[in-house]
Amino acid sequence: MRKLAVLTSGGDSPGMNAAVRAAVRRAHFHEVQMFGVYHGYEGLMRGDIKEMSLGSVGDIIQRGGTILYSARSEAFKTEAGQQRAVEQLRDHGIEGLIVIGGDGSFRGAQKLTEKGFPTIGVPGTIDNDIPCTDFTIGFDTALNTVVEAIDKIRDTATSHERTYIIEVMGRDAGDLALWAGLAAGAESIIIPEASQELDDIIERLHAGQRRGKKHSIIIVAEGVGSAASYAEAITKETGWETRVTVLGHIQRGGSPTAMDRMLASRMGAAAVDLLLEGKQDRMVGIQNNEIVDVDFQEALAKKHQLDLSIYQLARTLSI
Ligand code: ADP
Ligand code: F6P
């Protein structure tokens, strides 16, 4: 292969730029031309494709978001849209495509491979919800953002002796809420992967009060419902004053942590190497700190497994 391309798709995540940089630089290292596809699959279908020089990815390793922009595209889900995308790639002489995104983006990439166009996926999402990889690019940065926010909320929660309910992103996965809840010492962590009755949440709040706790922090993963509805139920049952914080898109921004830059650099370079080895229809992952590659079909057929031992640990540490 002499010409490759890279795009970012779906919800952006901190570290996507570092992955783009790694892909571009690694391609140049192998004396292969690299092209950037702007605006995800939407841009691919309309041929928004430009060659990327070594210098084009300078000064981006530390920047959040994605210089290639991202998009969600309904048109690309159609047969005609995918056909157009393959034609654009072929018209530019491109022979392999790296897709940085989440599972939806990988399903799109798989469609291109089914049409005979080689693709490799790199997992980039703050949700950490991709099977066959221990971590996704952006999760660590978002985790640190959430923990910093909870630490700040804890200050005011203590001053006013209030109960705070904080809603954390993650789509259907509870990883971000769980890891942040443990790292920030929350009293309760409510995630889709573990059912928790309201009575149990309230009993834990009472237990904290009995031993003189001045504040309570409850983390709610967006996948189980809104923090507001939990706050309402808790106030109704206890009569306590509650406050709600929905952290929202602040969790998706910011400069990537060193861990995310490392992960992105390793994965972005691995994706180029895989294409040049003639591999396709695969996703890069990290397992036990080793970079691996897994068949798309196999990865997408599985469901991401949250580590429930962390949930159990958090419960024992927040009594
Ligand atoms: P993420 O990649 O973060 O999971 P989405 O689920 O929004 O984000 O997917 C990103 C884009 O990938 C979608 O807007 C769509 O263009 C494409 N895509 C998602 N699912 C499919 C599919 N089954 N077939 C083709 N393209 C898809
Ligand atoms: O997948 C990343 C994510 O931030 C999820 O955590 C969240 O549910 C979703 O994207 C929000 O999407 P949007 O940016 O379209 O509101």
Side-chain angles (χ1 to χ4, degrees):
M1 289 184 180
R2 307 306 316 154
K3 287 185 182 180
L4 304 179
V6 56
L7 64 76
T8 50
S9 166
D12 66 343
S13 70
M16 278 185 164
N17 279 329
V20 170
R21 170 184 178 271
V24 172
R25 294 269 164 97
R26 188 68 162 192
H28 281 268
F29 169 78
H30 289 299
E31 296 179 353
V32 166
Q33 271 178 287
M34 180 59 95
F35 290 76
V37 178
Y38 290 79
H39 307 283
Y41 292 126
E42 203 57 39
L44 178 58
M45 288 182 299
R46 58 170 189 258
D48 198 349
I49 301 171
K50 289 185 195 77
E51 190 176 349
M52 299 187 87
S53 66
L54 269 179
S56 69
V57 289
D59 199 25
I60 66 165
I61 195 167
Q62 80 286 11
R63 278 165 59 186
T66 159
I67 60 158
L68 294 179
Y69 303 98
S70 193
R72 293 197 167 102
S73 167
E74 282 308 309
F76 181 75
K77 289 185 177 171
T78 65
E79 181 68 24
Q82 292 154 20
Q83 204 55 52
R84 215 159 46 242
V86 172
E87 281 161 17
Q88 290 287 3
L89 288 162
R90 296 224 165 102
D91 286 352
H92 284 80
I94 295 163
E95 296 158 287
L97 176 69
I98 296 166
V99 172
I100 307 171
D103 57 344
S105 303
F106 292 171
R107 280 178 221 286
Q110 220 187 354
K111 290 282 165 32
L112 297 179
T113 304
E114 278 168 22
K115 292 185 166 45
F117 197 87
T119 62
I120 294 286
V122 171
T125 163
I126 63 163
D127 301 338
N128 208 42
D129 61 348
I130 310 285
C132 302
T133 185
D134 296 342
F135 296 106
T136 57
I137 297 166
F139 175 67
D140 186 63
T141 306
L143 174 62
N144 279 282
T145 302
V146 175
V147 168
E148 196 184 328
I150 300 172
D151 288 349
K152 287 183 174 154
I153 289 169
R154 182 195 282 270
D155 290 344
T156 179
T158 307
S159 306
H160 288 266
E161 302 184 45
R162 275 178 184 153
T163 298
Y164 271 81
I165 296 102
I166 303 169
E167 187 177 309
V168 171
M169 274 187 173
R171 210 183 283 258
D172 301 321
D175 292 56
L176 195 51
L178 175 59
W179 284 58
L182 175 58
E187 272 64 44
S188 276
I189 307 168
I190 308 169
I191 53 172
E193 295 84 351
S195 63
Q196 202 179 357
E197 299 296 329
L198 188 62
D199 287 352
D200 179 48
I201 298 165
I202 289 172
E203 176 42 37
R204 293 173 75 83
L205 290 175
H206 282 307
Q209 280 225 329
R210 282 197 293 273
R211 66 178 181 83
K213 267 196 177 174
K214 294 288 180 231
H215 63 259
S216 295
I217 304 274
I218 298 175
I219 307 295
V220 177
E222 64 173 348
V224 293
S226 74
S229 62
Y230 278 93
E232 203 181 307
I234 290 166
T235 300
K236 195 165 158 229
E237 288 296 314
T238 61
W240 298 344
E241 200 180 358
T242 54
R243 287 287 186 276
V244 171
T245 303
V246 179
L247 292 178
H249 288 80
I250 199 168
Q251 296 162 96
R252 283 232 303 258
S255 179
T257 59
M259 288 301 278
D260 270 331
R261 297 181 201 191
M262 288 289 295
L263 186 62
S265 300
R266 294 173 77 187
M267 286 182 163
V272 169
D273 292 353
L274 287 170
L275 282 171
L276 297 183
E277 283 162 22
K279 293 194 183 162
Q280 55 175 292
D281 208 18
R282 298 183 79 74
M283 177 200 111
V284 180
I286 187 159
Q287 295 173 3
N288 302 320
N289 204 23
E290 294 276 335
I291 296 293
V292 297
D293 54 283
V294 189
D295 189 67
F296 265 147
Q297 194 76 36
E298 185 194 330
L300 296 177
K302 286 191 181 149
K303 200 174 150 27
H304 163 70
Q305 296 296 328
L306 170 138
D307 184 352
L308 274 174
S309 71
I310 296 174
Y311 180 75
Q312 299 304 345
L313 175 64
R315 280 180 69 83
T316 66
L317 300 185
S318 62
I319 45 176

